[in-house]
Amino acid sequence: HVQLVESGGGSVRPGGSLRLSCTASGYRYASYCMGWFRQAPGSEREAVASISTDGVPTYTDAAKGRFTASKDNVKNTLYLQMNSPKPEDTAQYYCAADCCRGGSWDARWCEYWGQGTQVTVS
């Protein structure tokens, strides 16, 4: 049974920092491409970052230059370091696993999802 559990969300001031974690269980964590996504009320889900099985991150424009994705295969944990967050970063953040196909990543391909953690920037 695959399980992803996010943590680390909360309230943060603009310009501050926050680190989200996603701990995985029930599968060989290192063998999956992982992704971070977010969804604000009334908005569509948005991709934030992915990280390959080799630990190489890819960022969308929403995250580039401010957020850093990383993973610890020993701890089976994915991270999203959020620096200088803005009010528009306020959303429910989700991690997901097995999101890659042919060198690309997309939420439609993700097989497993966490329950999300709320981030509020104000």
Side-chain angles (χ1 to χ4, degrees), residues 37-108:
F37 301 87
R38 68 186 184 186
Q39 188 166 19
S43 299
E44 294 186 355
R45 182 174 53 199
E46 178 184 25
V48 177
S50 71
I51 193 159
S52 71
T53 54
D54 295 330
V56 178
T58 302
Y59 303 99
T60 64
D61 288 343
K64 203 170 294 183
R66 299 185 300 122
F67 297 174
T68 302
S70 62
K71 66 175 184 175
D72 185 328
N73 289 338
V74 174
K75 295 182 178 180
N76 272 10
T77 301
L78 176 72
Y79 301 100
L80 184 69
Q81 178 68 41
M82 303 174 62
N83 293 330
S84 300
K86 304 173 183 178
E88 51 264 43
D89 294 320
T90 295
Q92 186 85 348
Y93 282 71
Y94 300 89
C95 70
D98 198 12
C99 303
C100 296
R101 301 290 184 272
S104 298
W105 63 290
D106 193 290
R108 296 170 294 175

